[in-house]
């Protein structure tokens, strides 16, 4: 059985969502990860906990509070209406906003680990060569942390592809607008269309397996010289 037009539409929407979220989180998550890796401030712990919160918080809880914040009476909703953007819930950009929050730790934590692994010595050497902190970051820290960037980007993309609870809470189920692949599978199951649900579910299963297989196969072995 071939994929339906609705399936293809949901797959394209999912890929588009995951791509945009990954790019946005590279821009937002990199400075957060760098600050967490370098700071000794006392509020590092609380901020790190906030960043990691989506890892343990039920998606429905996060989705509920994001829905309130982006609704007509919420602070984000007031802001977007004032700017003439309108309300974000049940729109594609509402999905993007929610996914950025939900996938934040999958970008920040691998980058933070990569930055911490660099240590102080390379940056101190760059400083002795009169490199500014910004120059040292882009010419020393970023190249040394490239494996972390790759891991964080892949995990963020894959995690966004597999989202269900948050996207359903924020986006609902609008064909071509907010109905991503995971929601499309739910619709097939609800309609007792198990064969079509199996096709999409199998695709996501294979995709997730290949992502993890690639990460584990590519990860360098510290025991080897």
């Amino acid at each position: 059985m071939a994929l339906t037009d609705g399936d293809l539409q949901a797959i394209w929407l999912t890929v588009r969502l995951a791509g945009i979220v990954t790019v946005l989180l590279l821009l937002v998550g990199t400075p957060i990860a760098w600050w967490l890796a370098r700071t000794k401030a006392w509020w590092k712990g609380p901020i790190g906990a906030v960043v990691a919160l989506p890892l343990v918080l039920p998606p429905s809880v996060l989705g509920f509070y994001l829905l309130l914040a982006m609704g007509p009476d919420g602070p984000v909703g007031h802001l977007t209406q004032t700017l003439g953007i309108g309300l974000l819930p049940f729109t594609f950009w509402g999905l993007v906003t929610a996914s950025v929050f939900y996938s934040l730790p999958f970008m920040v934590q691998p980058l933070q680990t990569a930055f911490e692994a660099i240590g102080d010595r390379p940056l101190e050497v760059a400083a002795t060569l009169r490199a500014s902190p910004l120059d040292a970051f882009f010419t020393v820290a970023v190249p040394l942390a490239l494996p972390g960037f790759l891991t964080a980007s892949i995990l963020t993309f894959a995690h966004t592809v597999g989202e269900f609870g948050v996207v359903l809470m924020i986006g609902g189920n609008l064909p071509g607008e907010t109905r991503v692949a995971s929601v499309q599978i739910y619709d097939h199951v609800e309609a007792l269309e198990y064969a079509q649900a199996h096709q999409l579910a199998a695709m996501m299963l294979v995709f997730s397996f290949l992502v993890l297989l690639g990460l584990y196969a590519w990860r360098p072995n510290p025991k080897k010289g």
Side-chain angles (χ1 to χ4, degrees):
M1 182 181 296
L3 294 172
T4 66
D5 290 341
D7 293 339
L8 295 174
Q9 191 177 57
I11 291 171
W12 162 242
L13 189 67
T14 304
V15 171
R16 182 183 169 212
L17 173 67
I20 292 173
V21 168
T22 301
V23 172
L24 289 176
L25 279 178
L26 275 171
L27 297 175
V28 174
T30 298
I32 296 175
W34 178 251
W35 183 83
L36 288 172
R38 303 293 299 172
T39 187
K40 293 179 173 57
W42 67 267
W43 57 83
K44 173 182 177 179
I47 291 179
V50 170
V51 169
L53 202 57
L55 293 174
V56 297
L57 200 63
S60 56
V61 174
L62 179 62
F64 172 70
Y65 284 112
L66 287 174
L67 190 62
L68 290 181
M70 294 189 291
D73 298 322
V76 178
H78 281 303
L79 177 62
T80 55
Q81 290 181 96
T82 301
L83 295 175
I85 300 173
L87 295 175
L88 292 177
F90 309 109
T91 67
F92 175 77
W93 292 106
L95 286 187
V96 171
T97 303
S99 298
V100 164
F101 281 100
Y102 191 47
S103 294
L104 183 63
F106 291 87
M107 179 63 72
V108 171
Q109 291 190 345
L111 287 180
Q112 181 182 348
T113 300
F115 287 144
E116 289 173 344
I118 295 173
D120 294 330
R121 181 61 180 167
L123 299 173
E124 291 171 352
V125 171
T128 62
L129 297 175
R130 298 184 179 180
S132 68
L134 192 62
D135 288 336
F137 174 77
F138 283 108
T139 61
V140 177
V142 170
L144 290 176
L146 277 180
F149 277 96
L150 181 60
T151 299
S153 298
I154 293 174
L155 287 176
T156 299
F157 187 93
H159 182 256
T160 306
V161 166
E163 289 176 1
F164 176 74
V166 168
V167 296
L168 190 60
M169 289 284 291
I170 299 298
N173 189 0
L174 303 177
E177 183 70 23
T178 62
R179 184 184 291 172
V180 295
S182 57
V183 177
Q184 181 77 353
I185 294 172
Y186 176 81
D187 283 351
H188 283 317
V189 172
E190 198 173 40
L192 303 180
E193 298 168 347
Y194 293 126
Q196 291 172 316
H198 172 65
Q199 286 186 99
L200 270 181
M203 286 180 61
M204 296 188 73
L205 176 63
V206 171
F207 170 77
S208 300
F209 174 77
L210 291 177
V211 166
L212 292 175
L213 180 63
L215 282 176
Y216 282 113
W218 167 81
R219 182 177 297 170
N221 189 345
K223 294 182 180 180
K224 295 182 179 180

